[in-house]
Amino acid sequence: MRKNPIFQRETLGAAVLQVRSGRSTSRTTLARALGISPSTTGLYVDQLIADKYLNESGLNQGPMGRPRRILTTQADAGWFAGVEFNAQRIQAVGVDFSGGLKMSVELILPAEVLADQVIKSILSCVARLAATMEGPLLSVGLGVPGLVDAQAGVGLSYAFIPDWQQVPVVEKIGSTLNVPVILQNNLRAIALAERWFGRGHELNDYVILGPRSGFGIAMVQEGRLIEGARHAAGEVGRWPWQPSEGAESSQELHHALSAPATWRRLAGLGPRAKLPEDLRAGLAEVAGKEGAEWDAVCTDFARVVGCLQLILDTGVFILHGPLTVLGERFCHAITETACVQMPALRGTGLKVVPSTLGDNAGALGAASLAMEAWSPA
Amino acid sequence: MRKNPIFQRETLGAAVLQVRSGRSTSRTTLARALGISPSTTGLYVDQLIADKYLNESGLNQGPMGRPRRILTTQADAGWFAGVEFNAQRIQAVGVDFSGGLKMSVELILPAEVLADQVIKSILSCVARLAATMEGPLLSVGLGVPGLVDAQAGVGLSYAFIPDWQQVPVVEKIGSTLNVPVILQNNLRAIALAERWFGRGHELNDYVILGPRSGFGIAMVQEGRLIEGARHAAGEVGRWPWQPSEGAESSQELHHALSAPATWRRLAGLGPRAKLPEDLRAGLAEVAGKEGAEWDAVCTDFARVVGCLQLILDTGVFILHGPLTVLGERFCHAITETACVQMPALRGTGLKVVPSTLGDNAGALGAASLAMEAWSPA
DNA sequence: TGGGGTTTTTTCGCATTCGAATAAAAAGAC
DNA sequence: GTCTTTTTATTCGAATGCGAAAAAACCCCA
């Protein structure tokens, strides 16, 4: 072996990612995935094993030939924090080095919370995780609502926290915790969660549908998030929109298709009807409905999805947020309606599916950010 | 100097691209752009100069310090062919090694042409170019209509040439010419043309609007073309659409906004009105119009552009095709109307501009493909 | 039980690439 | 003019990463 080889941090990080994701389980497959030679890969793996980031866990016999020496990540090598918030609450998760979800924390924010308070609360959430998680904290991912400059590490704006303007989040959090902090818009973080914890496993192209208080989407093309020149890609909610039922005055899409609006429409209530305590529960009640309201809502969703499919050609749309309680039936209805209404969609493999991740998808996505950004010291 | 260094072809190619585009003009800037060390860059440049691909053309004195030794591409090192076609005609251009347009050729195809005939005609166009261009042909780029699998080098389908199905174009052309052949959808090729020959110079994010016989778009995000999982991204023309004037039955977008449809609407004629011999001339006549028809057309375009801006957040939309004769005024009207009708667009930097490239944009784009793909033997 | 076949892993020499220092080239200060 | 400052280019030793070949590990089949 070489005496004191100095390795490229990025390559070490990429190797760990490959192993953690399960895409590469042996030195040879890892070499192919990373695009470096088998000999070099061997050295890198040796180093990572020596540093207790990876270990060998048995053999994997292929149909023939020498069996692969299975590489796995060492779960106790440290942990990642993933934090997501909006104006109501903070959600945080602790994930071990193998990518296993170990702990989950929620914190309700007071009404009319301000930016500084949010930052403090985030730190206290991470501290709560740290009390239980074993090993050192390796990095923190943050899913931030509103406009985010991921590269600069700055939260640009968010409608529901008035002074959330140009907040240097990475600096504020990072200087306290002394670990790398990675920022991303929370919906785009969810897209990463889907890749690590959900259905996006084998997918390189998909769209996250995020109808919540508004309606945003996150797009993944060839494995990369689409951010937009000004970090504002995916603002479908602001499309002009005329709901398919009744020729009301035209408005913006989120007035018709946000989670609350969808509930009101499905429940047959007016646009000012009071929301139930628990929106998910309310939605669950109307999930089995049929009739004109149901059809109208499906038609509207189908129109959005169809239009997106025609532009982006991604094929898979993953529904997130409260509306997932409407279940497969809802998603299936959208897919069907879209193909009926827009013949051009036939044969495009269009498919809408509900996410299998729960309410903490955003936090999981943030943890994914942390994992993807980490590389050994 | 080292005796016989073996260089990476890709890196050599990337270096030439940098120099040709004018983004890197000296060894040091080139080193930064390529992400390799200055010393290695020096060796690469020496090699490229020795092989007559680059040369040094004088000095460039910065505000201080040793002046840069300006690197330029050797125009006569060879040439690239760019070919684009549709069911009506083939356009081909010859571009020298410095990216200068040297020659242009057009060939009208007979009605109801078949795939084999097209391939033959493409070869004859290239032969015509070869007769005049100096130096060896280095590679050929092809802008193909319809669905294209760029990686596989196969034309998948095209509505207006019946037997254009699964045509292994790269194989057919490449085996005859014995140079690399690169395929791409013709509208996406135009996006590259814009980068090399037009307004896309400094842009990393933009959208090409291509209203012709249909309505397609090509998208560039962070310098990369968006292809879609099934090579079908950008099919905006198949959006369901209700033109803003008159509540006609709803139809698809290209029925309202293709180049012919736009002319008919601007000229105040019905959807079956006979087209003029020369559509561009016809459009030029109505370019100065005002009134309800003009406003309606602008509103429709504004709706499309606005929706696209909200999803993609690219900022710049470049109008291509016959409608460019409507000029700045048309584009400006679209921009204005969009911002008025969709308040969310304020501050997004939305801008629609007509392309400065002419009718051979597609062929130029194909030549760009050829240039981008080339690397020394 | 031993040999051929197949795939993974490691060994080992070589050379491409890097880093740091050095040289080169010019502007501006004095 | 000479010296400092600044930026670019080159030199040169060191070492990271590669390729080819060897070794290892396992299957199958006589």
Side-chain angles (χ1 to χ4, degrees):
Chain A
M1 203 199 288
R2 213 70 50 70
K3 312 159 204 183
N4 194 18
I6 297 169
F7 295 104
Q8 314 252 31
R9 287 189 52 197
E10 301 170 8
T11 309
L12 288 166
V16 171
L17 278 181
Q18 283 288 327
V19 174
R20 178 158 41 226
S21 72
R23 269 197 293 268
S24 304
T25 51
S26 72
R27 287 159 170 80
T28 308
T29 50
L30 188 56
R32 265 196 295 274
L34 296 176
I36 59 181
S37 72
S39 39
T40 308
T41 308
L43 296 175
Y44 272 83
V45 169
D46 289 344
Q47 178 68 40
L48 286 167
I49 290 177
D51 293 347
K52 300 278 168 65
Y53 290 123
L54 300 184
N55 55 14
E56 293 184 340
S57 56
L59 301 177
N60 177 323
Q61 182 59 53
M64 215 176 272
R66 177 173 173 171
R68 297 177 246 280
R69 298 168 68 176
I70 300 175
L71 299 172
T72 28
T73 44
Q74 190 96 20
D76 59 6
W79 63 285
F80 303 99
V83 185
E84 189 234 353
F85 70 93
N86 56 32
Q88 281 89 49
R89 35 110 269 216
I90 296 178
Q91 282 193 326
V93 293
V95 166
D96 68 25
F97 195 73
S98 293
L101 172 62
K102 288 292 159 198
M103 196 184 165
S104 206
V105 159
E106 186 166 8
L107 192 154
I108 305 297
L109 292 171
E112 308 196 5
V113 69
L114 293 182
D116 270 345
Q117 177 67 33
V118 171
I119 300 280
K120 260 186 221 151
S121 305
I122 289 172
L123 285 170
S124 92
C125 282
V126 174
R128 273 211 271 163
L129 293 172
T132 308
M133 299 295 294
E134 13 179 326
L137 172 60
L138 298 172
S139 67
V140 177
L142 229 68
V144 177
L147 249 52
V148 173
D149 185 339
Q151 279 215 300
V154 174
L156 299 174
S157 66
Y158 173 47
F160 299 104
I161 299 180
D163 70 337
W164 189 268
Q165 305 282 338
Q166 304 286 336
V167 185
V169 188
V170 164
E171 197 187 305
K172 292 201 176 188
I173 307 270
S175 63
T176 308
L177 295 176
N178 284 314
V179 293
V181 176
I182 298 92
L183 229 62
Q184 188 51 278
N185 166 275
N186 53 6
L187 200 56
R188 289 201 267 275
I190 286 176
L192 297 185
E194 213 54 63
R195 174 148 77 197
W196 280 97
F197 299 99
R199 316 183 93 110
H201 258 311
E202 307 291 311
L203 286 173
N204 271 322
D205 300 80
Y206 55 92
V207 172
I208 304 291
L209 300 173
R212 303 157 162 246
S213 50
F215 195 128
I217 64 168
M219 299 164 277
V220 176
Q221 281 267 346
E222 296 180 39
R224 312 161 135 262
L225 285 170
I226 292 185
E227 290 218 30
R230 307 199 175 200
H231 322 288
E235 289 289 338
V236 182
R238 313 228 37 193
W239 276 6
W241 200 254
Q242 249 175 306
S244 55
E245 84 231 32
E248 301 172 43
S249 65
S250 86
Q251 34 181 1
E252 286 186 343
L253 187 148
H254 38 227
H255 297 133
L257 294 183
S258 67
T262 303
W263 175 78
R264 289 198 184 97
R265 291 172 68 186
L266 287 179
L269 302 171
R272 306 235 175 281
K274 195 166 136 273
L275 291 174
E277 283 290 302
D278 182 346
L279 185 58
R280 278 168 193 265
L283 282 162
E285 278 174 37
V286 294
K289 270 189 89 167
E290 292 190 18
E293 287 104 355
W294 174 270
D295 290 345
V297 168
C298 289
T299 304
D300 272 11
F301 272 92
R303 264 163 71 194
V304 188
V305 168
C307 285
L308 291 172
Q309 169 64 19
L310 287 171
I311 314 177
L312 299 168
D313 182 31
T314 52
V316 179
F317 291 76
I318 305 176
L319 178 68
H320 262 267
L323 297 193
T324 45
V325 304
L326 297 178
E328 291 272 5
R329 176 170 164 256
F330 182 57
C331 291
H332 197 68
I334 295 172
T335 311
E336 288 290 296
T337 311
C339 288
V340 169
Q341 300 235 325
M342 301 162 69
L345 294 174
R346 310 255 165 120
T348 60
L350 171 66
K351 218 167 136 187
V352 183
V353 294
S355 168
T356 55
L357 304 176
D359 201 23
N360 58 0
L364 287 173
S368 311
L369 278 174
M371 289 194 288
E372 292 198 10
W374 176 84
S375 56
Chain B
M1 201 201 291
R2 216 66 51 71
K3 312 160 204 181
N4 194 18
I6 297 170
F7 295 104
Q8 314 250 31
R9 288 189 52 196
E10 299 172 9
T11 309
L12 288 165
V16 170
L17 277 180
Q18 282 289 326
V19 174
R20 178 159 42 223
S21 73
R23 270 196 295 266
S24 305
T25 52
S26 72
R27 286 160 171 77
T28 308
T29 50
L30 188 56
R32 266 196 295 274
L34 296 176
I36 59 183
S37 73
S39 39
T40 308
T41 309
L43 296 175
Y44 271 84
V45 169
D46 289 344
Q47 178 68 40
L48 286 167
I49 291 177
D51 292 349
K52 299 280 170 66
Y53 289 125
L54 299 183
N55 55 12
E56 294 183 341
S57 57
L59 300 177
N60 177 324
Q61 182 59 53
M64 214 177 272
R66 175 173 175 173
R68 298 175 247 279
R69 299 166 67 177
I70 301 175
L71 298 172
T72 29
T73 43
Q74 189 95 23
D76 59 5
W79 63 286
F80 302 100
V83 184
E84 189 235 351
F85 69 93
N86 55 32
Q88 281 89 50
R89 37 108 267 218
I90 296 177
Q91 282 193 325
V93 294
V95 166
D96 68 26
F97 195 72
S98 293
L101 173 61
K102 287 295 159 196
M103 195 184 165
S104 207
V105 158
E106 186 167 8
L107 192 153
I108 305 297
L109 292 171
E112 309 195 5
V113 69
L114 293 183
D116 270 345
Q117 176 68 31
V118 171
I119 299 280
K120 261 187 218 152
S121 305
I122 289 171
L123 286 170
S124 94
C125 281
V126 174
R128 273 212 271 164
L129 293 171
T132 309
M133 299 295 293
E134 7 178 330
L137 172 60
L138 298 173
S139 66
V140 177
L142 230 65
V144 176
L147 250 52
V148 174
D149 185 338
Q151 280 214 301
V154 174
L156 298 175
S157 65
Y158 174 48
F160 300 104
I161 300 180
D163 69 338
W164 189 268
Q165 305 281 340
Q166 305 285 338
V167 186
V169 187
V170 164
E171 195 187 305
K172 291 199 176 189
I173 308 271
S175 64
T176 308
L177 295 174
N178 283 315
V179 294
V181 177
I182 298 89
L183 229 62
Q184 188 49 281
N185 167 275
N186 54 7
L187 200 55
R188 289 201 268 273
I190 286 177
L192 297 184
E194 213 55 64
R195 174 148 78 198
W196 280 97
F197 300 98
R199 313 185 95 113
H201 259 309
E202 307 291 311
L203 285 174
N204 271 324
D205 300 80
Y206 54 93
V207 172
I208 305 291
L209 301 172
R212 304 157 160 245
S213 49
F215 195 128
I217 64 170
M219 300 164 277
V220 176
Q221 281 267 347
E222 296 179 41
R224 314 162 133 262
L225 286 170
I226 291 185
E227 291 218 31
R230 308 201 176 197
H231 324 288
E235 288 289 340
V236 182
R238 313 226 38 191
W239 276 7
W241 199 253
Q242 248 175 309
S244 55
E245 84 232 30
E248 301 174 44
S249 64
S250 87
Q251 32 181 0
E252 286 187 344
L253 188 147
H254 23 237
H255 296 133
L257 294 182
S258 67
T262 303
W263 174 78
R264 290 199 183 98
R265 290 172 69 186
L266 287 178
L269 301 172
R272 306 234 176 283
K274 196 165 136 273
L275 291 174
E277 284 289 302
D278 183 344
L279 184 59
R280 277 168 194 265
L283 282 160
E285 278 174 37
V286 295
K289 270 190 90 167
E290 293 189 16
E293 286 103 356
W294 174 269
D295 291 344
V297 168
C298 289
T299 304
D300 272 9
F301 272 91
R303 264 164 70 195
V304 187
V305 168
C307 286
L308 291 173
Q309 170 64 19
L310 288 171
I311 314 179
L312 298 168
D313 182 33
T314 53
V316 180
F317 291 77
I318 305 176
L319 178 67
H320 262 267
L323 297 192
T324 46
V325 306
L326 298 176
E328 291 272 6
R329 177 171 165 257
F330 181 57
C331 290
H332 196 69
I334 294 173
T335 312
E336 288 290 296
T337 311
C339 289
V340 169
Q341 300 235 327
M342 301 163 67
L345 294 174
R346 310 255 164 120
T348 59
L350 171 67
K351 218 168 136 187
V352 184
V353 295
S355 170
T356 54
L357 303 176
D359 199 24
N360 57 2
L364 287 172
S368 310
L369 277 174
M371 288 194 289
E372 292 197 10
W374 177 84
S375 57

